[in-house]
Amino acid sequence: MKHSTTPQTRRGHRGGPARRIGRTLALVLPVVLVLSGTLAVTRVNWTGSPSGSVLAASDVSAAEAPAEPAAQAPQDVLRDQLMTELQHKNPGVVLTHLQQAVNGHPSLARHCGSLARALGKAAVRIYGASRAQSYARPVCDTAFASGVLAAHT
């Protein structure tokens, strides 16, 4: 009986180029998606004025800032509530409350991804990457998991 000296996997197949490409994509694709989303958000005109120029937050001088703080947007209020809740409860409970808030107020759906990513980043600071990742689930298209990944890398 002749024995082969080539390394084989459990199924008897060697790891070919397709497997290596698949592994590379599995590692690189989430990072690319997070970065492309971050870059897209930086190009949004958040000022509300119809001007064509996009300013970075650091470009606005203190003199141009409003004297009185304006009322917070609903998504900012929800973010603050969820971040406070994350200090006292596990991320699973907080993600459930995020999903309930989005279900109750459909106008928050477009902010769900950014809220879940922010929760993921905060969960890494509080619980560490592995424990935070254990709470990930498909709330807002797995944005929580991408927040954990962004904070861990």
Side-chain angles (χ1 to χ4, degrees):
M1 177 160 44
K2 184 177 181 182
H3 293 283
S4 173
T5 58
T6 56
Q8 295 182 343
T9 61
R10 286 182 6 190
R11 294 186 182 182
H13 300 287
R14 292 180 54 203
R19 182 179 213 109
R20 285 192 298 271
I21 290 171
R23 286 181 180 168
T24 302
L25 282 176
L27 293 172
V28 173
L29 190 59
V31 174
V32 170
L33 291 174
V34 168
L35 290 176
S36 65
T38 303
L39 293 174
V41 169
T42 61
R43 297 298 303 162
V44 173
N45 181 359
W46 295 102
T47 62
S49 65
S51 68
S53 66
V54 177
L55 298 175
S58 61
D59 292 341
V60 179
S61 69
E64 295 173 0
E68 282 187 39
Q72 282 188 313
Q75 67 271 13
D76 296 332
V77 171
L78 179 59
R79 177 180 288 117
D80 293 344
Q81 289 172 350
L82 294 173
M83 290 296 183
T84 301
E85 186 176 14
L86 187 62
Q87 300 295 322
H88 306 288
K89 297 182 180 170
N90 75 52
V93 172
V94 178
L95 286 172
T96 299
H97 292 160
L98 170 61
Q99 189 66 53
Q100 290 170 345
V102 170
N103 291 344
H105 303 285
S107 62
L108 293 171
R110 67 180 185 192
H111 304 286
C112 188
S114 65
L115 292 169
R117 271 189 296 282
L119 288 171
K121 290 178 182 179
V124 168
R125 287 191 302 273
I126 296 169
Y127 295 98
S130 353
R131 188 164 174 215
Q133 184 62 36
S134 71
Y135 291 103
R137 58 178 191 234
V139 174
C140 309
D141 297 327
T142 64
F144 178 83
S146 69
V148 169
L149 176 67
H152 182 58
T153 56

